[in-house]
């Protein structure tokens, strides 16, 4: 393949939420027949036409780093994952719409990635509010993706989507809800496809076209995030 500029996007979330299936769908436009547990990290590449259809259009590679979803306080687990968090340009947070705990744990995953040295040893939840402005100031673009949408009963979808809307607001990120076994959820022209393209364009924009040097690096040079109180209603 020709040499193209590239960006690095982390794909984070609990084990079993469908990260590997999602990455395969995003990169190969095909359903992953026999998904297996990811140990460590796997990387796949997607081709993105930045500002498609405009005079500024340019092709980039999007590296999607599917990080294994094991959590715990073992130092070996944390130190292994910390290696993957260097020089990251964007983050996709993935949760299972049928599993509320996986949604709650996105706070933990974001903290671990943004701080690199946070310990993901338990769900960081309380009954209070936390300062959303800290995510508003975060220069690394985030995207929230809910999987297994097809498994939600019709009479429960409104409740679940209301809950994910709060997550989207908390992370200052757009949300996409889909079924990784059905490519039509990301078909060209759909709102999901538009959101996805907009996210990747934003990642590329901040990496290659921003005038603020502090927003062009990975996590190494960024401020430390410290959430005093998180909530999940």
């Amino acid at each position: 393949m020709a040499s193209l500029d590239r960006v690095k996007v982390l794909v984070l979330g609990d084990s079993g939420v469908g990260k590997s299936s999602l990455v395969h769908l995003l990169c190969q436009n095909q359903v992953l027949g026999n998904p297996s547990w990811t140990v460590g990290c796997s990387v796949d590449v997607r081709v993105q036409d930045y500002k498609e259809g405009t005079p500024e259009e340019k092709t980039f590679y999007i590296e999607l780093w599917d990080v294994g979803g094991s959590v715990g306080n073992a130092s070996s687990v944390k130190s292994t994952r910390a290696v993957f968090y260097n020089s990251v340009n964007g983050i996709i947070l993935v949760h299972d719409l049928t599993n509320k705990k996986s949604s709650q744990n996105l706070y933990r995953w974001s903290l671990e990635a943004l701080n690199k040295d946070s310990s993901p040893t338990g769900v960081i939840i309380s009954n209070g509010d936390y300062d959303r402005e800290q995510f508003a100031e975060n220069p690394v673009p985030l995207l929230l993706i809910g999987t297994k949408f097809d498994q939600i009963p019709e009479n429960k979808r409104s409740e679940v989507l209301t809950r994910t809307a709060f997550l989207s607001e908390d992370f200052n990120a757009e949300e996409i809800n889909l079924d990784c076994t059905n490519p039509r959820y990301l078909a060209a022209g759909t709102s999901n496809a538009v959101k996805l393209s907009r996210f990747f364009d934003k990642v590329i924009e901040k990496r290659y076209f921003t005038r603020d040097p502090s927003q062009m690096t990975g996590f190494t040079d960024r401020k430390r995030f410290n959430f005093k109180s998180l909530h999940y209603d």
Side-chain angles (χ1 to χ4, degrees):
M1 292 189 292
S3 177
L4 297 175
D5 288 329
R6 61 187 62 210
V7 292
K8 176 180 177 180
V9 176
L10 290 177
V11 182
L12 301 177
D14 287 359
S15 294
V17 298
K19 297 188 301 298
S20 297
S21 296
L22 173 66
V23 169
H24 190 79
L25 182 61
L26 292 178
C27 296
Q28 309 300 329
N29 196 31
Q30 295 177 343
V31 174
L32 182 59
N34 296 297
S36 58
W37 298 106
T38 300
V39 178
C41 180
S42 65
V43 182
D44 207 341
V45 177
R46 171 188 173 94
V47 176
Q48 173 73 10
D49 290 323
Y50 171 72
K51 290 192 174 181
E52 185 176 10
T54 72
E56 293 81 23
E57 180 175 340
K58 182 180 179 181
T59 303
F60 288 82
Y61 287 147
I62 308 289
E63 291 182 352
L64 293 172
W65 290 54
D66 172 14
V67 180
S70 299
V71 294
N73 56 5
S75 59
S76 59
V77 173
K78 291 185 293 182
S79 61
T80 298
R81 279 203 297 259
V83 175
F84 307 137
Y85 299 156
N86 290 321
S87 303
V88 171
N89 307 116
I91 301 175
I92 296 176
L93 297 169
V94 186
H95 63 122
D96 175 353
L97 293 169
T98 68
N99 182 345
K100 187 175 180 179
K101 185 177 180 180
S102 74
S103 304
Q104 295 172 331
N105 286 349
L106 293 183
Y107 295 107
R108 173 173 61 188
W109 284 107
S110 61
L111 281 169
E112 180 181 286
L114 291 170
N115 288 336
K116 289 203 300 181
D117 56 349
S118 292
S119 301
T121 55
V123 180
I124 309 173
I125 300 294
S126 76
N127 293 324
D129 291 329
Y130 74 94
D131 185 6
R132 293 189 179 97
E133 292 302 315
Q134 294 186 78
F135 268 120
E137 297 171 1
N138 170 34
V140 177
L142 304 176
L143 179 66
L144 183 69
I145 295 186
T147 61
K148 306 183 185 180
F149 184 72
D150 59 307
Q151 298 181 24
I152 305 173
E154 289 285 347
N155 62 343
K156 293 289 186 180
R157 288 190 176 182
S158 178
E159 174 187 338
V160 171
L161 294 180
T162 298
R163 193 167 70 234
T164 61
F166 279 111
L167 278 173
S168 177
E169 183 178 356
D170 283 351
F171 288 111
N172 190 33
E174 287 196 293
E175 61 173 323
I176 293 175
N177 298 312
L178 48 70
D179 166 18
C180 293
T181 66
N182 192 336
R184 73 178 179 84
Y185 281 93
L186 293 175
T190 62
S191 61
N192 285 346
V194 171
K195 289 179 182 178
L196 188 66
S197 182
R198 187 159 54 215
F199 167 72
F200 287 137
D201 275 7
K202 186 176 181 181
V203 171
I204 293 168
E205 180 85 27
K206 285 185 173 289
R207 171 62 181 88
Y208 288 101
F209 302 105
T210 182
R211 294 188 177 185
D212 182 357
S214 68
Q215 297 186 16
M216 296 180 65
T217 61
F219 293 138
T220 304
D221 300 322
R222 290 206 317 279
K223 61 180 287 187
R224 176 183 174 85
F225 284 72
N226 180 24
F227 300 132
K228 296 180 180 178
S229 175
L230 302 181
H231 77 96
Y232 189 88
D233 298 322

